[in-house]
Amino acid sequence: MSITGQQLEDIRQARATTTATLRPTVPALEEVLYEPIPLLDHGFIRVIDYMGDDNAVVQAARVSYGRGTKKVSEDRGLIMYLMRHWHTTPFEMAEIKFHVKLPIFVARQWIRHRTASVNEYSARYSILDKEFYLPAPEQLAAQSSANRQGRGDVLEGEEAQRVLDLLRGDAERTYADYAWMLNEGTDEQAADPDRSGLARELARMNLTLNTYTQWYWKTNLHNLMHFLRLRADPHAQYEIRVYAEKMLDIMKRWVPITTEAFIEHRMESASLSRTALAAVKRMIAGEQVTAATSGLSAREWRELAATLGLPEA
Amino acid sequence: MSITGQQLEDIRQARATTTATLRPTVPALEEVLYEPIPLLDHGFIRVIDYMGDDNAVVQAARVSYGRGTKKVSEDRGLIMYLMRHWHTTPFEMAEIKFHVKLPIFVARQWIRHRTASVNEYSARYSILDKEFYLPAPEQLAAQSSANRQGRGDVLEGEEAQRVLDLLRGDAERTYADYAWMLNEGTDEQAADPDRSGLARELARMNLTLNTYTQWYWKTNLHNLMHFLRLRADPHAQYEIRVYAEKMLDIMKRWVPITTEAFIEHRMESASLSRTALAAVKRMIAGEQVTAATSGLSAREWRELAATLGLPEA
Amino acid sequence: MSITGQQLEDIRQARATTTATLRPTVPALEEVLYEPIPLLDHGFIRVIDYMGDDNAVVQAARVSYGRGTKKVSEDRGLIMYLMRHWHTTPFEMAEIKFHVKLPIFVARQWIRHRTASVNEYSARYSILDKEFYLPAPEQLAAQSSANRQGRGDVLEGEEAQRVLDLLRGDAERTYADYAWMLNEGTDEQAADPDRSGLARELARMNLTLNTYTQWYWKTNLHNLMHFLRLRADPHAQYEIRVYAEKMLDIMKRWVPITTEAFIEHRMESASLSRTALAAVKRMIAGEQVTAATSGLSAREWRELAATLGLPEA
Amino acid sequence: MSITGQQLEDIRQARATTTATLRPTVPALEEVLYEPIPLLDHGFIRVIDYMGDDNAVVQAARVSYGRGTKKVSEDRGLIMYLMRHWHTTPFEMAEIKFHVKLPIFVARQWIRHRTASVNEYSARYSILDKEFYLPAPEQLAAQSSANRQGRGDVLEGEEAQRVLDLLRGDAERTYADYAWMLNEGTDEQAADPDRSGLARELARMNLTLNTYTQWYWKTNLHNLMHFLRLRADPHAQYEIRVYAEKMLDIMKRWVPITTEAFIEHRMESASLSRTALAAVKRMIAGEQVTAATSGLSAREWRELAATLGLPEA
């Protein structure tokens, strides 16, 4: 994480200014407000603002006049019920805004979630910093042979070293050429007065996809959960999953009851297809169901066995 | 506006609880937070929560680390620039939530704005109050002869009285029959133990479209402005326009600079078609342009003349 | 279903005009194109247009150059895989457009699905027909005692008759008063030249919520399935469910493989919460799990027992 | 444009298969269906499918039963009216789907338009081709001094040559290293059996932002126009503008009347702020308005002068 002294000072000042509000506040989330939480080698995530809390969900579901007036146990039961029965609109009533620094190839996955508001640092308008992502050695994995879009074993020895050298060398060279083409001067080298310098909107095309960018990203609690269900999942690429996992921690500070319901009914729930459900019923009735008699494809059977913790998995 | 004692007490309590926050707050908006602002005969609008302020727009546009650090005049200039050049995403970074009580036929127009979150009071689940909208006499207008979807002169005399009597009589009768079909008992009459009572989800179909409903409605500043541009416009139906106008007042408390930019560049701006622009250029050059020589249709010419305040209008 | 002779003639003409296209076509869907399929007492649903087929899903998932070139069995396997693993974007690549006639209270539920395009018949601009929904006797149900938003037993005898009389009587009276207020003349009665007539945008508020409206409704296959999952479900209100069920039939004509996958992995699948999954694993291992030892609430246990077809349900 | 023989064969076959449909067809658009239209050095755009035509707009606005039955002049007038008065929903009733090949930095701008469906070629799953964008010499522009996010004069001589050499050299080197890290073998070099090869989802991060990607992109006519208004505008970056301009040509084939209305009321229209409108009124009245007396900022005045073709511009 590379934050300049001026940026740290801006953050310190933001954390120094307390005001009084009639709105609901969440002390556990205020504790980390504005603070950059480091991720990967240069990334971070910061909570910039939020609106609402667990109670906002309850209040909207009841279209109530006050701030949610029933007993805590009833509120919790209502949130569990809403989650279980996919009554999703009350969860749209709470909102959160992040400032995220992330590699461009991660940003490209992230942006596919369309139901959010985004303002990205513009490389048409400004110059990107010299920061690029290099995987930690334990993340340098071979292509998975089982999964066309997954990772297999960790690379080792000479090949691993060579890969890291290439990634670093190429990122450094392309960045240096980017800076040369811009000809706007750096700490190390003044601009050449005899050259015009290439337009920023063109020069940026020379950067590699592991270059860091940053953005403001704002979404509601419902869409946040949709994002987390897909991106905090073990099938998600590691580099986006680390962001999602930190966001899940933040969500727990913000809306602890909704987070509990989310883990119970989404993150750690299982979906059984019609055929899988029929097989499970037979298993419960004591029948010995096999891949062959289950009616499932080989791959579906493996997935079901893994879900149920069957020895066949 | 009909709010029960318990509801007023809930609101009073919500306004009594101040907490400290590191988030930006807007004192002028806090002044009216939770307070019902009356509208039409039984409607209201209340601000329930908000996130961000004018500064949030600036901060997102700059993807900055602090709370917006430049001079006020620069921030104002940036907001004006963003509005003028349709850089809309920074305005998505502020959010507001309302509680609204409104006639069903107004709710049907309002809901067509899809980019908002809504939780409506459920008449499948609960019983609607006996409240329906009756236009004030000065709003009881005849069909416009010029505009297929507008109002003309105010109705007067016997016809006006008869219309009001019919609206009131029909709403009262259909509500009474709704209550009878439900058979859940009212203050005036106990439930009949020998009857089952019709399901709420069915009985509601007997109500007229001027019955009041209520909802929580949450949207971001960009989509709020889109709503206001269409619904605070003189062509909008009066009954939704009064809500939009109050929301514009609220917006001014919340984000005064953005509101100024919005009025300058949207609400009171004019759009000239290619042909209208060509006509305006000729007028400025001193030429006497007429409907016939303008290249516009008769209707377009009238609209342009009205925009420019020409005598032909 | 009330369609005039002119409208039937318009439909007949639309079905008489065949043209050649290079686009994919679906003969089974063309068979019913434009034809009104009757629903409830006066409603209908018509397919107006469509784009894509099962193959469009495959083609987009592969970003392929041709029209999907692999074997049918591979295409089917891919669609099953996409559905099972919630790869939803390829299903957005097919689109369908309906013309629907439906009671206003059903339209109010339906419109909550925001991810569709809608053009509704405007009662600001035009006059609504005298058509309103009256439930068939077997649909006239009492409020459910178990479910706050459901139906219980069918009403019978005098109460049922009285309910139907009230619904019919109120709808007829409010419509007659609507027509009187408009004063635009009907087949039965000429307009009164001495009256101005109330503006259409106001008069409509006197109609009851069972009045029929109509709209064009267009959505993509992904969002259609989301709609059907919620509205073709037994918990949906009967009056919207009948529309969803017809749309599911239409979907089967249009995209038979996707429909098969949708039924297998969505409509007839089951979701097990973390706690329910743990209970199921113990059952499969031969343990006798009860409500008390399951860790589930009483209500969750009933739902699980029903899903698994346990005797306790 | 680099399309393989197999891909051309797929396209040829798709164009060879005509079927009969009851749906509206647009012969002028069928002429170019599936055909790749070349763009930049390796890009293309292809129309893959479409739904509806100018008539679909009219039909939805009228919620009509047939295929649009009035005279052509009335249909045209209605489309002009809808466009002029921002009645946008009928334009959502037509849909179009493209297959686009484009540099990644262009894809990053394009994807910010959220109201579309997208399936992108996956570099987690597959290997990207060795194709990258190099600007034509006349597009190699210096940074604009007037506009922080624009281009100025064309680079010339040695500097231009050096920029092109760097862009080409860096793209070739990073691609070669990408291929080496993958170790999956190429036409030129077999995979090294002693190396594992880096996972595709990691190796891709070494590519530069001018590498070509491709996607299926589907949107409705309303959202297409929104995209074109921003991206076919002279302020848009050249590399995305060339795509938008081809799409505008395609739109003209598809919906000629809507395109005419779009150009008249959007592309070549002018928006005057409240203050600018007041200045224009004074000009028409014969007053000599200057920057100083206009009430506009220096920048706004320049923009207004350019719009009106005033000598001060």
Side-chain angles (χ1 to χ4, degrees):
Chain A
M1 186 175 67
S2 315
I3 297 191
T4 65
Q6 178 57 50
Q7 289 161 352
L8 286 171
E9 176 58 22
D10 288 345
I11 293 167
R12 203 195 55 71
Q13 280 191 17
R15 280 199 58 81
T17 316
T18 300
T19 52
T21 186
L22 292 169
R23 294 172 295 168
T25 56
V26 182
L29 191 56
E30 298 264 342
E31 276 175 28
V32 299
L33 208 64
Y34 305 129
E35 293 283 10
I37 299 165
L39 280 168
L40 300 180
D41 47 0
H42 297 290
F44 64 71
I45 190 158
R46 302 165 62 211
V47 181
I48 294 300
D49 206 347
Y50 67 95
M51 171 169 140
D53 53 12
D54 274 328
N55 196 272
V57 175
V58 167
Q59 187 187 34
R62 294 198 182 115
V63 193
S64 62
Y65 283 72
R67 285 236 50 230
T69 48
K70 305 229 177 158
K71 284 183 297 184
V72 170
S73 67
E74 287 183 35
D75 288 357
R76 188 181 168 283
L78 176 56
I79 288 176
M80 285 289 175
Y81 176 87
L82 295 171
M83 189 73 75
R84 201 161 78 247
H85 290 279
W86 291 90
H87 290 228
T88 57
T89 53
F91 297 106
E92 295 179 21
M93 287 290 160
E95 191 91 11
I96 194 162
K97 180 162 55 178
F98 296 102
H99 178 191
V100 191
K101 187 165 184 178
L102 71 178
I104 290 174
F105 73 94
V106 174
R108 298 225 310 131
Q109 288 190 320
W110 193 310
I111 200 77
R112 295 306 323 282
H113 296 263
R114 286 160 291 184
T115 48
S117 294
V118 186
N119 279 103
E120 185 172 354
Y121 187 85
S122 168
R124 276 188 88 188
Y125 188 86
S126 306
I127 300 175
L128 284 172
D129 289 333
K130 185 182 169 184
E131 288 179 323
F132 33 85
Y133 168 65
L134 294 178
E138 66 274 18
Q139 288 305 328
L140 216 60
Q143 178 64 30
S144 165
S145 53
N147 181 347
R148 285 267 293 168
Q149 55 181 359
R151 298 186 188 180
D153 297 333
V154 171
L155 287 197
E156 295 194 338
E158 227 174 292
E159 186 176 8
Q161 191 53 54
R162 176 80 177 131
V163 163
L164 279 178
D165 289 348
L166 287 176
L167 289 173
R168 180 182 293 106
D170 283 344
E172 287 189 343
R173 175 189 309 266
T174 55
Y175 189 89
D177 291 341
Y178 164 71
W180 186 90
M181 290 189 284
L182 287 174
N183 191 39
E184 304 204 17
T186 63
D187 291 350
E188 294 146 27
Q189 184 151 12
D192 176 350
D194 294 336
R195 288 206 288 122
S196 304
L198 187 65
R200 285 185 280 264
E201 69 177 24
L202 286 171
R204 61 173 166 170
M205 81 172 74
N206 201 57
L207 296 171
T208 48
L209 283 160
N210 55 353
T211 306
Y212 275 90
T213 183
Q214 48 183 297
W215 61 33
Y216 271 64
W217 191 76
K218 167 173 161 285
T219 197
N220 66 42
L221 178 53
H222 168 66
N223 288 316
L224 177 66
M225 290 191 287
H226 188 75
F227 179 88
L228 295 182
R229 191 155 66 110
L230 293 174
R231 302 304 182 180
D233 184 274
H235 291 92
Q237 182 164 350
Y238 168 79
E239 281 77 15
I240 196 167
R241 199 167 70 234
V242 292
Y243 287 85
E245 286 167 355
K246 290 286 183 201
M247 290 159 87
L248 189 53
D249 291 345
I250 289 166
M251 182 181 155
K252 198 172 179 180
R253 283 179 174 270
W254 177 32
V255 284
I257 301 174
T258 299
T259 306
E260 185 192 344
F262 174 60
I263 288 171
E264 171 76 12
H265 292 290
R266 297 282 185 282
M267 288 301 289
E268 301 189 6
S269 72
S271 181
L272 302 180
S273 69
R274 177 174 60 168
T275 308
L277 176 61
V280 164
K281 286 181 181 179
R282 288 158 56 199
M283 291 176 199
I284 290 175
E287 190 178 332
Q288 190 69 25
V289 181
T290 65
T293 64
S294 68
L296 296 167
S297 73
R299 186 165 185 169
E300 287 174 308
W301 174 258
R302 279 199 309 276
E303 290 174 8
L304 178 61
T307 298
L308 298 175
L310 300 183
E312 293 90 324
Chain B
M1 187 175 67
S2 316
I3 297 190
T4 67
Q6 179 57 51
Q7 289 162 352
L8 286 171
E9 176 57 21
D10 287 346
I11 292 168
R12 203 194 54 73
Q13 279 191 18
R15 282 198 56 82
T17 315
T18 299
T19 53
T21 186
L22 292 168
R23 295 173 294 167
T25 56
V26 181
L29 190 56
E30 297 264 342
E31 277 176 27
V32 298
L33 209 64
Y34 305 128
E35 294 285 10
I37 299 164
L39 280 167
L40 301 180
D41 46 0
H42 297 290
F44 64 70
I45 189 157
R46 303 166 60 214
V47 181
I48 294 300
D49 207 346
Y50 67 94
M51 170 170 142
D53 53 11
D54 275 327
N55 196 273
V57 176
V58 167
Q59 188 188 34
R62 294 197 182 118
V63 193
S64 62
Y65 282 72
R67 285 238 49 232
T69 47
K70 304 228 178 159
K71 285 183 295 184
V72 170
S73 67
E74 287 183 34
D75 288 356
R76 187 180 168 284
L78 177 56
I79 288 176
M80 286 288 176
Y81 176 86
L82 296 170
M83 189 73 75
R84 200 162 77 244
H85 289 278
W86 291 90
H87 290 229
T88 57
T89 54
F91 297 107
E92 296 179 22
M93 287 291 160
E95 192 90 12
I96 194 161
K97 181 162 54 178
F98 297 102
H99 178 191
V100 191
K101 187 165 186 178
L102 70 180
I104 291 174
F105 74 94
V106 174
R108 299 225 311 131
Q109 288 190 319
W110 193 310
I111 201 76
R112 295 306 323 281
H113 295 262
R114 288 160 290 183
T115 47
S117 295
V118 186
N119 279 102
E120 185 172 355
Y121 188 84
S122 168
R124 278 188 86 188
Y125 189 85
S126 307
I127 301 175
L128 285 173
D129 290 333
K130 184 182 171 183
E131 288 179 322
F132 32 84
Y133 168 64
L134 295 178
E138 67 273 19
Q139 288 305 327
L140 216 61
Q143 179 64 31
S144 164
S145 52
N147 181 348
R148 285 268 292 168
Q149 55 181 357
R151 297 187 189 178
D153 296 333
V154 172
L155 286 197
E156 295 194 339
E158 225 175 292
E159 185 175 10
Q161 191 52 53
R162 176 80 178 132
V163 163
L164 279 178
D165 289 348
L166 287 176
L167 289 173
R168 179 182 294 105
D170 283 345
E172 287 189 345
R173 175 189 308 266
T174 55
Y175 189 89
D177 291 342
Y178 165 72
W180 186 90
M181 291 189 283
L182 287 173
N183 191 39
E184 303 204 19
T186 62
D187 291 348
E188 292 145 28
Q189 183 150 11
D192 176 348
D194 294 335
R195 288 205 287 122
S196 304
L198 186 64
R200 285 184 280 265
E201 69 177 24
L202 286 170
R204 61 172 165 168
M205 80 173 74
N206 201 57
L207 296 171
T208 47
L209 283 159
N210 55 353
T211 307
Y212 274 90
T213 183
Q214 47 183 295
W215 61 32
Y216 271 63
W217 192 76
K218 168 174 161 286
T219 198
N220 65 42
L221 177 53
H222 168 66
N223 288 317
L224 176 66
M225 289 191 289
H226 188 75
F227 178 89
L228 295 182
R229 192 155 67 109
L230 293 174
R231 302 305 182 180
D233 183 273
H235 292 92
Q237 182 165 350
Y238 168 79
E239 281 77 16
I240 197 167
R241 200 168 69 232
V242 291
Y243 287 86
E245 285 167 355
K246 290 285 184 202
M247 291 159 86
L248 188 54
D249 291 346
I250 290 166
M251 181 181 156
K252 197 172 179 180
R253 282 179 174 270
W254 178 32
V255 284
I257 301 174
T258 300
T259 306
E260 184 192 345
F262 174 59
I263 289 171
E264 170 77 11
H265 292 290
R266 298 283 186 280
M267 289 301 289
E268 302 189 6
S269 72
S271 181
L272 303 180
S273 69
R274 177 174 60 169
T275 307
L277 176 61
V280 164
K281 286 181 183 179
R282 288 158 57 200
M283 290 178 200
I284 290 175
E287 191 178 330
Q288 191 68 26
V289 181
T290 66
T293 64
S294 69
L296 297 166
S297 72
R299 186 162 184 170
E300 287 174 308
W301 174 258
R302 279 200 306 277
E303 290 174 9
L304 178 62
T307 298
L308 298 175
L310 299 184
E312 293 89 325
Chain C
M1 186 174 66
S2 317
I3 297 191
T4 65
Q6 178 58 49
Q7 289 161 353
L8 286 172
E9 175 58 20
D10 287 346
I11 292 167
R12 203 195 55 72
Q13 280 193 14
R15 280 199 58 80
T17 315
T18 300
T19 52
T21 185
L22 292 170
R23 295 173 295 167
T25 56
V26 181
L29 190 56
E30 298 264 342
E31 277 175 26
V32 299
L33 209 64
Y34 306 128
E35 293 285 10
I37 299 164
L39 280 167
L40 302 180
D41 46 0
H42 297 290
F44 64 71
I45 189 157
R46 304 166 61 213
V47 181
I48 294 299
D49 206 347
Y50 67 95
M51 169 170 141
D53 53 12
D54 274 327
N55 197 273
V57 176
V58 166
Q59 186 188 34
R62 295 198 182 117
V63 193
S64 63
Y65 282 72
R67 283 238 50 228
T69 47
K70 304 229 177 160
K71 286 184 295 185
V72 170
S73 67
E74 287 183 35
D75 287 356
R76 188 181 168 283
L78 176 56
I79 287 177
M80 285 289 175
Y81 175 87
L82 295 171
M83 188 73 75
R84 198 161 80 245
H85 290 279
W86 292 90
H87 291 228
T88 56
T89 53
F91 297 106
E92 296 179 21
M93 287 291 160
E95 192 91 11
I96 194 162
K97 179 161 56 178
F98 297 102
H99 178 191
V100 191
K101 188 165 184 178
L102 72 179
I104 290 174
F105 73 95
V106 174
R108 299 224 313 130
Q109 289 190 319
W110 192 311
I111 200 77
R112 294 308 321 283
H113 295 262
R114 287 160 290 183
T115 46
S117 295
V118 187
N119 279 103
E120 185 172 353
Y121 188 85
S122 169
R124 278 187 87 187
Y125 189 85
S126 307
I127 300 174
L128 284 173
D129 289 334
K130 185 182 170 183
E131 288 179 323
F132 33 84
Y133 168 63
L134 295 177
E138 67 274 19
Q139 287 306 327
L140 216 60
Q143 178 65 29
S144 164
S145 53
N147 181 348
R148 286 268 291 168
Q149 54 181 0
R151 297 186 189 179
D153 297 333
V154 171
L155 287 197
E156 295 192 338
E158 224 175 293
E159 186 175 8
Q161 191 52 54
R162 175 81 178 130
V163 163
L164 280 178
D165 289 349
L166 287 176
L167 289 173
R168 180 182 294 104
D170 283 345
E172 287 189 343
R173 175 189 308 266
T174 55
Y175 189 88
D177 291 342
Y178 164 72
W180 187 89
M181 290 189 284
L182 287 174
N183 191 39
E184 304 205 19
T186 63
D187 290 350
E188 294 145 29
Q189 182 150 12
D192 176 348
D194 294 336
R195 288 205 289 121
S196 304
L198 186 64
R200 286 185 280 264
E201 69 177 26
L202 287 170
R204 60 172 167 171
M205 79 172 76
N206 201 58
L207 296 171
T208 48
L209 284 160
N210 55 353
T211 306
Y212 274 90
T213 183
Q214 48 183 297
W215 61 31
Y216 270 63
W217 191 77
K218 167 172 161 288
T219 197
N220 66 43
L221 177 54
H222 167 65
N223 288 317
L224 177 66
M225 290 192 286
H226 189 74
F227 179 88
L228 295 182
R229 190 155 68 108
L230 293 175
R231 303 304 182 182
D233 184 274
H235 292 92
Q237 181 164 350
Y238 168 79
E239 281 77 16
I240 196 167
R241 201 168 67 234
V242 291
Y243 287 85
E245 285 166 356
K246 289 286 184 202
M247 289 159 87
L248 189 53
D249 291 345
I250 289 166
M251 181 181 155
K252 199 173 179 179
R253 282 178 174 271
W254 178 31
V255 284
I257 302 174
T258 299
T259 305
E260 184 192 344
F262 174 60
I263 289 170
E264 170 76 11
H265 292 290
R266 297 282 185 280
M267 288 303 288
E268 301 189 6
S269 73
S271 181
L272 302 179
S273 69
R274 176 174 61 168
T275 308
L277 176 61
V280 163
K281 286 181 181 180
R282 288 159 57 201
M283 291 177 199
I284 290 174
E287 192 179 330
Q288 191 67 29
V289 181
T290 65
T293 64
S294 68
L296 296 168
S297 72
R299 185 162 186 170
E300 288 174 308
W301 174 257
R302 279 199 308 275
E303 290 174 9
L304 178 62
T307 297
L308 298 175
L310 299 183
E312 293 90 327
Chain D
M1 187 174 66
S2 317
I3 297 190
T4 66
Q6 179 56 52
Q7 289 161 353
L8 287 172
E9 176 57 22
D10 287 346
I11 292 167
R12 203 196 53 74
Q13 280 191 17
R15 283 200 55 83
T17 316
T18 300
T19 53
T21 187
L22 292 168
R23 295 172 294 167
T25 56
V26 181
L29 190 55
E30 299 264 342
E31 276 176 28
V32 298
L33 209 63
Y34 305 128
E35 293 284 11
I37 299 164
L39 280 167
L40 301 180
D41 46 359
H42 298 289
F44 64 70
I45 190 158
R46 303 166 61 213
V47 181
I48 294 300
D49 206 346
Y50 68 93
M51 170 170 140
D53 53 11
D54 274 326
N55 196 273
V57 175
V58 166
Q59 188 188 33
R62 294 198 182 117
V63 193
S64 63
Y65 282 71
R67 283 238 51 229
T69 47
K70 305 229 178 160
K71 285 183 295 185
V72 170
S73 66
E74 287 183 35
D75 288 357
R76 189 181 168 284
L78 176 55
I79 287 176
M80 286 286 175
Y81 175 87
L82 295 171
M83 188 72 75
R84 201 162 77 244
H85 289 279
W86 291 90
H87 290 229
T88 57
T89 54
F91 297 106
E92 296 180 21
M93 287 290 161
E95 192 90 11
I96 194 162
K97 180 161 56 177
F98 297 101
H99 179 191
V100 191
K101 186 164 186 179
L102 71 178
I104 291 175
F105 73 94
V106 174
R108 299 227 309 131
Q109 288 189 319
W110 192 310
I111 200 76
R112 295 306 322 284
H113 295 262
R114 287 161 291 184
T115 46
S117 295
V118 186
N119 280 103
E120 184 172 353
Y121 188 84
S122 168
R124 276 188 87 189
Y125 189 86
S126 307
I127 300 175
L128 285 173
D129 290 333
K130 184 182 170 184
E131 288 179 321
F132 32 85
Y133 168 64
L134 294 178
E138 66 274 19
Q139 288 305 328
L140 215 61
Q143 177 65 30
S144 163
S145 52
N147 181 347
R148 286 268 291 169
Q149 54 181 357
R151 297 187 188 178
D153 296 333
V154 173
L155 288 196
E156 296 194 338
E158 226 176 291
E159 185 176 9
Q161 191 52 54
R162 175 80 178 133
V163 163
L164 279 178
D165 288 349
L166 288 176
L167 289 173
R168 179 182 295 106
D170 284 345
E172 287 189 345
R173 175 190 308 265
T174 55
Y175 189 88
D177 292 342
Y178 164 72
W180 186 89
M181 292 189 283
L182 288 173
N183 191 39
E184 304 204 18
T186 62
D187 291 350
E188 294 145 29
Q189 184 152 13
D192 175 349
D194 294 336
R195 288 205 287 123
S196 305
L198 186 65
R200 286 185 279 265
E201 69 178 25
L202 286 171
R204 62 173 164 168
M205 80 173 74
N206 202 57
L207 296 171
T208 47
L209 284 159
N210 55 352
T211 307
Y212 274 89
T213 183
Q214 47 183 297
W215 62 32
Y216 271 63
W217 193 76
K218 167 174 162 286
T219 198
N220 66 42
L221 178 53
H222 167 66
N223 288 316
L224 177 66
M225 289 191 288
H226 188 75
F227 178 89
L228 295 182
R229 191 156 67 112
L230 293 174
R231 302 306 182 178
D233 183 274
H235 292 92
Q237 182 165 351
Y238 168 79
E239 282 77 17
I240 196 167
R241 200 167 68 233
V242 291
Y243 287 85
E245 285 167 354
K246 289 286 184 202
M247 291 160 85
L248 188 53
D249 291 345
I250 289 166
M251 180 180 156
K252 197 172 179 181
R253 282 179 174 271
W254 178 31
V255 284
I257 301 174
T258 300
T259 307
E260 184 192 345
F262 174 60
I263 289 171
E264 170 77 12
H265 292 290
R266 299 282 186 281
M267 290 301 289
E268 301 189 4
S269 73
S271 181
L272 303 180
S273 69
R274 176 174 60 167
T275 308
L277 176 61
V280 164
K281 286 181 182 179
R282 287 158 59 201
M283 291 177 201
I284 290 175
E287 191 178 332
Q288 190 69 25
V289 181
T290 66
T293 64
S294 69
L296 296 167
S297 73
R299 187 164 184 168
E300 288 174 306
W301 174 258
R302 279 198 308 277
E303 290 174 8
L304 178 62
T307 298
L308 298 175
L310 299 185
E312 292 91 325

